[in-house]
Amino acid sequence: MAGLFREVIKPGAFREAIGRDDVVFLINHEGLPLARTRSKTLKLSEDDKGLRMETMLDAEDPDVKSIIGKMRRGDLDKMSFAFRAEVQEWDDTQDLPLRTIKKASLFDVSIVTTPAYEGTEIGLRSLDQARKAQNFHAAQKRIRMKMNLALRERENG
């Protein structure tokens, strides 16, 4: 963070916050919300990369209209999140201290011009693309289940 220290967020740090905190989706951590968890227009989860968000944006919302073209061009393609550490550890044994976040509260997730973490990303998918991806993953799961069932039947029979 600005060269003062390094920061690591442990897997599971947002587990409680995801089900508890009312989180809003903003532009550069400001303005009116584009979506929020309380209204169920923003869905948060944790995956193997970290905090994940999904939302159905209102195409008629002027704030949404102001970012869509910039996202398509790649001018806006990074994310950030505002949080408060609830449980953290510090390692001061290195030149740059290391802060490890073990548990945190969430305030917002934002599409940003300049992220604190360069590894973030955001992208657009149409509803049709999202449904196709969801159907593909469901089909993969059904195939795995059938294969497992066939293997069990073969082992038992």
Side-chain angles (χ1 to χ4, degrees):
M1 307 304 317
L4 301 176
F5 61 91
R6 295 176 302 129
E7 188 170 66
V8 172
I9 299 175
K10 296 296 270 186
F14 297 118
R15 186 175 298 121
E16 289 181 35
I18 288 171
R20 175 193 67 208
D21 300 342
D22 180 26
V23 182
V24 292
F25 177 36
L26 303 174
I27 302 169
N28 284 318
H29 301 289
E30 298 177 342
L32 295 171
L34 302 174
R36 78 183 313 146
T37 55
R38 185 176 66 210
S39 65
K40 301 197 184 333
T41 55
L42 173 63
K43 180 182 172 190
L44 299 175
S45 60
E46 282 185 291
D47 63 17
D48 58 343
K49 292 182 182 179
L51 185 62
R52 178 181 173 83
M53 56 95 47
E54 292 181 46
T55 184
M56 297 281 290
L57 296 175
D58 178 0
E60 299 304 312
D61 183 323
D63 295 325
V64 171
K65 287 180 179 182
S66 75
I67 65 170
I68 296 296
K70 293 167 184 65
M71 290 177 73
R72 284 192 180 118
R73 288 192 315 258
D75 299 333
L76 277 174
D77 63 351
K78 298 295 181 183
M79 291 291 299
S80 182
F81 48 90
F83 70 96
R84 180 179 52 81
E86 293 179 9
V87 178
Q88 62 186 332
E89 284 182 358
W90 285 91
D91 178 356
D92 296 321
T93 62
Q94 304 166 27
D95 288 339
L96 275 178
L98 176 64
R99 177 187 191 198
T100 302
I101 308 295
K102 293 184 166 191
K103 182 179 171 186
S105 297
L106 279 168
F107 301 108
D108 75 67
V109 292
S110 290
I111 185 169
V112 295
T113 308
T114 308
Y117 300 99
E118 273 302 317
T120 66
E121 62 185 45
I122 188 170
L124 291 171
R125 289 193 324 189
S126 70
L127 180 57
D128 190 45
Q129 286 174 317
R131 285 184 177 150
K132 284 179 185 174
Q134 192 174 36
N135 289 340
F136 175 75
H137 293 301
Q140 281 184 319
K141 186 176 180 181
R142 283 192 302 274
I143 290 169
R144 279 193 305 271
M145 288 171 55
K146 287 179 182 178
M147 288 176 60
N148 288 337
L149 182 60
L151 286 172
R152 274 190 239 133
E153 287 175 354
R154 182 185 245 174
E155 289 172 356
N156 294 332

Short mmCIF file of all heavy atoms in Angstrom, two decimals, residues 15-66:
data_model
loop_
_atom_site.label_atom_id
_atom_site.label_comp_id
_atom_site.label_asym_id
_atom_site.label_seq_id
_atom_site.Cartn_x
_atom_site.Cartn_y
_atom_site.Cartn_z
N ARG A 15 -15.67 -14.57 4.07
CA ARG A 15 -16.74 -15.57 4.20
C ARG A 15 -17.94 -15.03 5.00
O ARG A 15 -19.07 -15.12 4.56
CB ARG A 15 -16.20 -16.84 4.85
CG ARG A 15 -17.22 -17.98 4.90
CD ARG A 15 -16.62 -19.27 5.44
NE ARG A 15 -15.55 -19.74 4.56
CZ ARG A 15 -14.28 -19.92 4.96
NH1 ARG A 15 -13.94 -19.71 6.20
NH2 ARG A 15 -13.37 -20.34 4.11
N GLU A 16 -17.69 -14.49 6.17
CA GLU A 16 -18.79 -13.98 7.00
C GLU A 16 -19.39 -12.71 6.42
O GLU A 16 -20.60 -12.51 6.46
CB GLU A 16 -18.30 -13.73 8.42
CG GLU A 16 -18.02 -15.00 9.19
CD GLU A 16 -17.56 -14.72 10.61
OE1 GLU A 16 -18.04 -13.75 11.22
OE2 GLU A 16 -16.71 -15.48 11.10
N ALA A 17 -18.55 -11.84 5.87
CA ALA A 17 -19.03 -10.57 5.32
C ALA A 17 -20.00 -10.79 4.17
O ALA A 17 -20.98 -10.05 4.03
CB ALA A 17 -17.85 -9.73 4.86
N ILE A 18 -19.75 -11.81 3.35
CA ILE A 18 -20.59 -12.06 2.19
C ILE A 18 -22.04 -12.31 2.59
O ILE A 18 -22.95 -11.85 1.95
CB ILE A 18 -20.01 -13.23 1.35
CG1 ILE A 18 -18.75 -12.75 0.64
CG2 ILE A 18 -21.04 -13.76 0.36
CD1 ILE A 18 -17.95 -13.84 -0.03
N GLY A 19 -22.28 -13.00 3.65
CA GLY A 19 -23.64 -13.26 4.09
C GLY A 19 -24.20 -12.23 5.04
O GLY A 19 -25.39 -12.23 5.33
N ARG A 20 -23.36 -11.33 5.52
CA ARG A 20 -23.75 -10.40 6.58
C ARG A 20 -23.84 -8.95 6.11
O ARG A 20 -24.80 -8.24 6.43
CB ARG A 20 -22.73 -10.52 7.70
CG ARG A 20 -22.90 -9.56 8.84
CD ARG A 20 -21.68 -9.53 9.75
NE ARG A 20 -20.53 -8.97 9.02
CZ ARG A 20 -19.26 -9.28 9.27
NH1 ARG A 20 -18.95 -10.14 10.21
NH2 ARG A 20 -18.30 -8.72 8.57
N ASP A 21 -22.85 -8.46 5.37
CA ASP A 21 -22.74 -7.04 5.07
C ASP A 21 -23.57 -6.64 3.86
O ASP A 21 -23.68 -7.39 2.89
CB ASP A 21 -21.28 -6.66 4.81
CG ASP A 21 -20.38 -6.93 6.01
OD1 ASP A 21 -20.90 -7.08 7.13
OD2 ASP A 21 -19.15 -6.99 5.82
N ASP A 22 -24.16 -5.44 3.92
CA ASP A 22 -24.86 -4.87 2.77
C ASP A 22 -23.81 -4.15 1.93
O ASP A 22 -23.34 -3.08 2.29
CB ASP A 22 -25.96 -3.91 3.22
CG ASP A 22 -26.71 -3.31 2.05
OD1 ASP A 22 -26.76 -3.94 0.97
OD2 ASP A 22 -27.23 -2.19 2.19
N VAL A 23 -23.43 -4.76 0.82
CA VAL A 23 -22.34 -4.26 -0.02
C VAL A 23 -22.93 -3.65 -1.28
O VAL A 23 -23.85 -4.21 -1.88
CB VAL A 23 -21.38 -5.41 -0.38
CG1 VAL A 23 -20.21 -4.92 -1.23
CG2 VAL A 23 -20.87 -6.10 0.89
N VAL A 24 -22.39 -2.50 -1.68
CA VAL A 24 -22.86 -1.83 -2.89
C VAL A 24 -21.79 -1.90 -3.97
O VAL A 24 -20.60 -2.00 -3.68
CB VAL A 24 -23.24 -0.35 -2.61
CG1 VAL A 24 -24.47 -0.27 -1.73
CG2 VAL A 24 -22.08 0.42 -1.99
N PHE A 25 -22.23 -1.86 -5.22
CA PHE A 25 -21.34 -1.83 -6.38
C PHE A 25 -21.30 -0.39 -6.87
O PHE A 25 -22.33 0.18 -7.23
CB PHE A 25 -21.88 -2.77 -7.47
CG PHE A 25 -21.08 -2.77 -8.75
CD1 PHE A 25 -19.70 -2.63 -8.76
CD2 PHE A 25 -21.73 -2.93 -9.96
CE1 PHE A 25 -18.98 -2.66 -9.94
CE2 PHE A 25 -21.02 -2.96 -11.16
CZ PHE A 25 -19.64 -2.81 -11.14
N LEU A 26 -20.11 0.21 -6.86
CA LEU A 26 -19.94 1.63 -7.19
C LEU A 26 -18.93 1.82 -8.32
O LEU A 26 -18.26 0.88 -8.73
CB LEU A 26 -19.44 2.39 -5.96
CG LEU A 26 -20.30 2.33 -4.69
CD1 LEU A 26 -19.58 3.01 -3.53
CD2 LEU A 26 -21.66 2.97 -4.93
N ILE A 27 -18.80 3.06 -8.76
CA ILE A 27 -17.76 3.47 -9.70
C ILE A 27 -16.74 4.27 -8.91
O ILE A 27 -17.08 5.29 -8.29
CB ILE A 27 -18.34 4.34 -10.84
CG1 ILE A 27 -19.44 3.58 -11.58
CG2 ILE A 27 -17.23 4.78 -11.79
CD1 ILE A 27 -20.24 4.44 -12.55
N ASN A 28 -15.50 3.80 -8.88
CA ASN A 28 -14.42 4.47 -8.14
C ASN A 28 -14.79 4.77 -6.68
O ASN A 28 -14.44 5.83 -6.15
CB ASN A 28 -13.96 5.73 -8.86
CG ASN A 28 -13.11 5.42 -10.06
OD1 ASN A 28 -12.25 4.53 -10.02
ND2 ASN A 28 -13.35 6.11 -11.16
N HIS A 29 -15.52 3.85 -6.06
CA HIS A 29 -15.90 3.96 -4.63
C HIS A 29 -16.78 5.17 -4.34
O HIS A 29 -16.83 5.64 -3.20
CB HIS A 29 -14.66 4.00 -3.72
CG HIS A 29 -13.77 2.82 -3.85
ND1 HIS A 29 -14.12 1.59 -3.38
CD2 HIS A 29 -12.54 2.69 -4.41
CE1 HIS A 29 -13.13 0.74 -3.63
NE2 HIS A 29 -12.17 1.38 -4.27
N GLU A 30 -17.48 5.69 -5.35
CA GLU A 30 -18.30 6.89 -5.15
C GLU A 30 -19.65 6.77 -5.85
O GLU A 30 -19.83 5.94 -6.72
CB GLU A 30 -17.58 8.12 -5.73
CG GLU A 30 -16.28 8.45 -5.09
CD GLU A 30 -15.59 9.64 -5.77
OE1 GLU A 30 -15.96 9.99 -6.92
OE2 GLU A 30 -14.70 10.21 -5.15
N GLY A 31 -20.55 7.67 -5.50
CA GLY A 31 -21.80 7.83 -6.21
C GLY A 31 -22.89 6.89 -5.78
O GLY A 31 -22.81 6.21 -4.76
N LEU A 32 -23.93 6.87 -6.59
CA LEU A 32 -25.08 6.01 -6.33
C LEU A 32 -24.74 4.56 -6.69
O LEU A 32 -23.98 4.32 -7.62
CB LEU A 32 -26.28 6.48 -7.16
CG LEU A 32 -26.81 7.88 -6.81
CD1 LEU A 32 -27.85 8.31 -7.84
CD2 LEU A 32 -27.41 7.88 -5.42
N PRO A 33 -25.33 3.61 -5.99
CA PRO A 33 -25.03 2.20 -6.28
C PRO A 33 -25.58 1.75 -7.64
O PRO A 33 -26.69 2.12 -8.01
CB PRO A 33 -25.67 1.43 -5.14
CG PRO A 33 -26.64 2.36 -4.50
CD PRO A 33 -26.23 3.75 -4.85
N LEU A 34 -24.79 0.96 -8.33
CA LEU A 34 -25.25 0.31 -9.56
C LEU A 34 -25.99 -0.97 -9.22
O LEU A 34 -26.81 -1.45 -10.00
CB LEU A 34 -24.05 -0.01 -10.46
CG LEU A 34 -23.16 1.17 -10.86
CD1 LEU A 34 -21.95 0.69 -11.63
CD2 LEU A 34 -23.95 2.18 -11.67
N ALA A 35 -25.66 -1.55 -8.06
CA ALA A 35 -26.29 -2.78 -7.56
C ALA A 35 -25.94 -2.89 -6.07
O ALA A 35 -25.06 -2.18 -5.59
CB ALA A 35 -25.76 -3.99 -8.33
N ARG A 36 -26.63 -3.79 -5.36
CA ARG A 36 -26.31 -4.02 -3.94
C ARG A 36 -26.80 -5.38 -3.49
O ARG A 36 -27.75 -5.93 -4.05
CB ARG A 36 -26.85 -2.90 -3.06
CG ARG A 36 -28.30 -2.95 -2.74
CD ARG A 36 -28.83 -1.78 -1.91
NE ARG A 36 -28.02 -1.47 -0.78
CZ ARG A 36 -27.84 -0.23 -0.29
NH1 ARG A 36 -28.46 0.79 -0.84
NH2 ARG A 36 -27.08 -0.03 0.75
N THR A 37 -26.13 -5.89 -2.48
CA THR A 37 -26.47 -7.24 -2.01
C THR A 37 -27.85 -7.27 -1.35
O THR A 37 -28.57 -8.24 -1.51
CB THR A 37 -25.41 -7.78 -1.03
OG1 THR A 37 -25.22 -6.86 0.04
CG2 THR A 37 -24.09 -8.01 -1.76
N ARG A 38 -28.20 -6.22 -0.63
CA ARG A 38 -29.49 -6.22 0.08
C ARG A 38 -30.66 -6.37 -0.87
O ARG A 38 -31.64 -7.05 -0.56
CB ARG A 38 -29.63 -4.94 0.91
CG ARG A 38 -30.89 -4.94 1.77
CD ARG A 38 -31.00 -3.74 2.67
NE ARG A 38 -31.17 -2.54 1.86
CZ ARG A 38 -30.74 -1.33 2.20
NH1 ARG A 38 -30.11 -1.14 3.34
NH2 ARG A 38 -30.93 -0.30 1.43
N SER A 39 -30.57 -5.77 -2.05
CA SER A 39 -31.66 -5.87 -3.03
C SER A 39 -31.50 -7.09 -3.93
O SER A 39 -32.30 -7.31 -4.84
CB SER A 39 -31.72 -4.60 -3.88
OG SER A 39 -30.55 -4.48 -4.66
N LYS A 40 -30.45 -7.86 -3.69
CA LYS A 40 -30.16 -9.08 -4.44
C LYS A 40 -29.82 -8.80 -5.91
O LYS A 40 -29.97 -9.67 -6.78
CB LYS A 40 -31.28 -10.09 -4.31
CG LYS A 40 -31.53 -10.49 -2.86
CD LYS A 40 -32.31 -11.75 -2.75
CE LYS A 40 -32.68 -12.15 -1.34
NZ LYS A 40 -31.90 -11.76 -0.25
N THR A 41 -29.36 -7.58 -6.21
CA THR A 41 -28.90 -7.26 -7.56
C THR A 41 -27.39 -7.42 -7.67
O THR A 41 -26.83 -7.30 -8.76
CB THR A 41 -29.29 -5.82 -7.95
OG1 THR A 41 -28.80 -4.91 -6.96
CG2 THR A 41 -30.80 -5.68 -8.07
N LEU A 42 -26.73 -7.71 -6.54
CA LEU A 42 -25.29 -7.97 -6.50
C LEU A 42 -25.07 -9.27 -5.74
O LEU A 42 -25.60 -9.45 -4.64
CB LEU A 42 -24.57 -6.82 -5.78
CG LEU A 42 -23.08 -7.00 -5.50
CD1 LEU A 42 -22.28 -7.11 -6.80
CD2 LEU A 42 -22.56 -5.83 -4.66
N LYS A 43 -24.32 -10.17 -6.36
CA LYS A 43 -24.02 -11.45 -5.73
C LYS A 43 -22.52 -11.52 -5.51
O LYS A 43 -21.74 -11.34 -6.44
CB LYS A 43 -24.47 -12.60 -6.63
CG LYS A 43 -24.20 -13.97 -6.06
CD LYS A 43 -24.63 -15.05 -7.02
CE LYS A 43 -24.17 -16.40 -6.51
NZ LYS A 43 -24.35 -17.45 -7.50
N LEU A 44 -22.11 -11.80 -4.28
CA LEU A 44 -20.69 -11.94 -3.93
C LEU A 44 -20.39 -13.38 -3.56
O LEU A 44 -21.23 -14.07 -2.98
CB LEU A 44 -20.34 -11.03 -2.75
CG LEU A 44 -20.53 -9.54 -2.96
CD1 LEU A 44 -20.26 -8.80 -1.66
CD2 LEU A 44 -19.62 -9.03 -4.07
N SER A 45 -19.19 -13.81 -3.88
CA SER A 45 -18.72 -15.13 -3.48
C SER A 45 -17.20 -15.08 -3.44
O SER A 45 -16.59 -14.11 -3.86
CB SER A 45 -19.21 -16.20 -4.45
OG SER A 45 -18.74 -15.95 -5.76
N GLU A 46 -16.61 -16.14 -2.90
CA GLU A 46 -15.15 -16.29 -2.94
C GLU A 46 -14.84 -17.51 -3.78
O GLU A 46 -15.48 -18.54 -3.65
CB GLU A 46 -14.60 -16.49 -1.53
CG GLU A 46 -14.51 -15.21 -0.73
CD GLU A 46 -13.85 -15.43 0.62
OE1 GLU A 46 -14.46 -16.09 1.47
OE2 GLU A 46 -12.72 -14.94 0.80
N ASP A 47 -13.85 -17.36 -4.66
CA ASP A 47 -13.39 -18.50 -5.44
C ASP A 47 -11.89 -18.64 -5.24
O ASP A 47 -11.32 -17.98 -4.35
CB ASP A 47 -13.79 -18.37 -6.92
CG ASP A 47 -13.17 -17.16 -7.61
OD1 ASP A 47 -12.19 -16.59 -7.09
OD2 ASP A 47 -13.65 -16.80 -8.70
N ASP A 48 -11.23 -19.46 -6.05
CA ASP A 48 -9.81 -19.70 -5.85
C ASP A 48 -8.94 -18.48 -6.17
O ASP A 48 -7.78 -18.44 -5.80
CB ASP A 48 -9.34 -20.91 -6.66
CG ASP A 48 -9.60 -20.78 -8.15
OD1 ASP A 48 -10.41 -19.93 -8.55
OD2 ASP A 48 -9.00 -21.55 -8.92
N LYS A 49 -9.51 -17.47 -6.83
CA LYS A 49 -8.76 -16.24 -7.11
C LYS A 49 -9.00 -15.16 -6.06
O LYS A 49 -8.22 -14.25 -5.93
CB LYS A 49 -9.16 -15.69 -8.48
CG LYS A 49 -8.72 -16.56 -9.63
CD LYS A 49 -9.09 -15.93 -10.94
CE LYS A 49 -8.68 -16.82 -12.10
NZ LYS A 49 -9.06 -16.23 -13.38
N GLY A 50 -10.12 -15.25 -5.35
CA GLY A 50 -10.43 -14.24 -4.35
C GLY A 50 -11.90 -13.87 -4.35
O GLY A 50 -12.77 -14.71 -4.60
N LEU A 51 -12.19 -12.61 -4.09
CA LEU A 51 -13.56 -12.11 -4.04
C LEU A 51 -14.11 -12.02 -5.46
O LEU A 51 -13.46 -11.50 -6.36
CB LEU A 51 -13.58 -10.74 -3.36
CG LEU A 51 -14.94 -10.11 -3.11
CD1 LEU A 51 -15.78 -10.97 -2.16
CD2 LEU A 51 -14.78 -8.71 -2.54
N ARG A 52 -15.31 -12.55 -5.65
CA ARG A 52 -15.96 -12.55 -6.97
C ARG A 52 -17.30 -11.86 -6.84
O ARG A 52 -18.01 -12.02 -5.85
CB ARG A 52 -16.13 -13.99 -7.43
CG ARG A 52 -16.84 -14.14 -8.76
CD ARG A 52 -16.98 -15.62 -9.12
NE ARG A 52 -17.79 -15.79 -10.29
CZ ARG A 52 -17.37 -15.68 -11.54
NH1 ARG A 52 -16.11 -15.37 -11.76
NH2 ARG A 52 -18.19 -15.86 -12.54
N MET A 53 -17.65 -11.07 -7.85
CA MET A 53 -18.96 -10.42 -7.86
C MET A 53 -19.65 -10.65 -9.18
O MET A 53 -19.01 -10.79 -10.21
CB MET A 53 -18.84 -8.92 -7.57
CG MET A 53 -17.93 -8.12 -8.48
SD MET A 53 -18.63 -7.26 -9.91
CE MET A 53 -20.02 -6.43 -9.36
N GLU A 54 -20.98 -10.74 -9.11
CA GLU A 54 -21.81 -10.85 -10.31
C GLU A 54 -23.00 -9.94 -10.12
O GLU A 54 -23.53 -9.81 -9.01
CB GLU A 54 -22.31 -12.28 -10.49
CG GLU A 54 -21.25 -13.28 -10.82
CD GLU A 54 -21.82 -14.68 -11.01
OE1 GLU A 54 -22.86 -14.81 -11.71
OE2 GLU A 54 -21.24 -15.62 -10.46
N THR A 55 -23.41 -9.31 -11.19
CA THR A 55 -24.57 -8.44 -11.12
C THR A 55 -25.26 -8.37 -12.47
O THR A 55 -24.64 -8.61 -13.50
CB THR A 55 -24.18 -7.02 -10.66
OG1 THR A 55 -25.35 -6.22 -10.51
CG2 THR A 55 -23.25 -6.34 -11.64
N MET A 56 -26.53 -8.07 -12.42
CA MET A 56 -27.29 -7.78 -13.63
C MET A 56 -27.49 -6.27 -13.64
O MET A 56 -28.24 -5.73 -12.83
CB MET A 56 -28.66 -8.47 -13.58
CG MET A 56 -28.59 -9.98 -13.56
SD MET A 56 -28.29 -10.69 -15.15
CE MET A 56 -29.83 -10.34 -15.96
N LEU A 57 -26.78 -5.59 -14.52
CA LEU A 57 -26.85 -4.14 -14.56
C LEU A 57 -28.08 -3.69 -15.34
O LEU A 57 -28.49 -4.32 -16.30
CB LEU A 57 -25.59 -3.56 -15.20
CG LEU A 57 -24.30 -3.81 -14.43
CD1 LEU A 57 -23.10 -3.32 -15.23
CD2 LEU A 57 -24.35 -3.15 -13.07
N ASP A 58 -28.66 -2.58 -14.91
CA ASP A 58 -29.82 -1.99 -15.55
C ASP A 58 -29.35 -1.17 -16.75
O ASP A 58 -28.75 -0.10 -16.59
CB ASP A 58 -30.57 -1.11 -14.54
CG ASP A 58 -31.77 -0.40 -15.12
OD1 ASP A 58 -32.06 -0.57 -16.33
OD2 ASP A 58 -32.42 0.34 -14.37
N ALA A 59 -29.60 -1.64 -17.95
CA ALA A 59 -29.13 -0.98 -19.17
C ALA A 59 -29.71 0.43 -19.34
O ALA A 59 -29.14 1.24 -20.08
CB ALA A 59 -29.47 -1.83 -20.38
N GLU A 60 -30.80 0.73 -18.67
CA GLU A 60 -31.41 2.06 -18.78
C GLU A 60 -30.84 3.05 -17.77
O GLU A 60 -31.08 4.25 -17.88
CB GLU A 60 -32.94 1.95 -18.59
CG GLU A 60 -33.63 1.09 -19.64
CD GLU A 60 -33.34 1.57 -21.06
OE1 GLU A 60 -33.47 2.79 -21.32
OE2 GLU A 60 -32.97 0.73 -21.90
N ASP A 61 -30.08 2.59 -16.80
CA ASP A 61 -29.49 3.45 -15.77
C ASP A 61 -28.40 4.32 -16.41
O ASP A 61 -27.47 3.80 -17.02
CB ASP A 61 -28.89 2.57 -14.67
CG ASP A 61 -28.30 3.35 -13.52
OD1 ASP A 61 -27.70 4.42 -13.75
OD2 ASP A 61 -28.41 2.88 -12.38
N PRO A 62 -28.49 5.66 -16.28
CA PRO A 62 -27.48 6.53 -16.89
C PRO A 62 -26.06 6.25 -16.38
O PRO A 62 -25.10 6.39 -17.14
CB PRO A 62 -27.93 7.94 -16.49
CG PRO A 62 -29.32 7.82 -16.01
CD PRO A 62 -29.55 6.39 -15.62
N ASP A 63 -25.92 5.85 -15.12
CA ASP A 63 -24.59 5.53 -14.59
C ASP A 63 -24.02 4.28 -15.27
O ASP A 63 -22.83 4.21 -15.56
CB ASP A 63 -24.63 5.34 -13.07
CG ASP A 63 -25.00 6.61 -12.34
OD1 ASP A 63 -24.59 7.70 -12.80
OD2 ASP A 63 -25.70 6.53 -11.32
N VAL A 64 -24.88 3.31 -15.52
CA VAL A 64 -24.45 2.10 -16.22
C VAL A 64 -24.08 2.45 -17.66
O VAL A 64 -23.04 2.03 -18.16
CB VAL A 64 -25.55 1.01 -16.19
CG1 VAL A 64 -25.21 -0.15 -17.10
CG2 VAL A 64 -25.79 0.53 -14.75
N LYS A 65 -24.90 3.26 -18.30
CA LYS A 65 -24.61 3.68 -19.68
C LYS A 65 -23.26 4.38 -19.78
O LYS A 65 -22.56 4.24 -20.77
CB LYS A 65 -25.70 4.61 -20.20
CG LYS A 65 -27.00 3.90 -20.52
CD LYS A 65 -28.03 4.87 -21.03
CE LYS A 65 -29.34 4.17 -21.37
NZ LYS A 65 -30.35 5.08 -21.90
N SER A 66 -22.87 5.10 -18.71
CA SER A 66 -21.61 5.84 -18.74
C SER A 66 -20.38 4.94 -18.67
O SER A 66 -19.29 5.35 -19.05
CB SER A 66 -21.57 6.88 -17.62
OG SER A 66 -21.35 6.26 -16.37
#
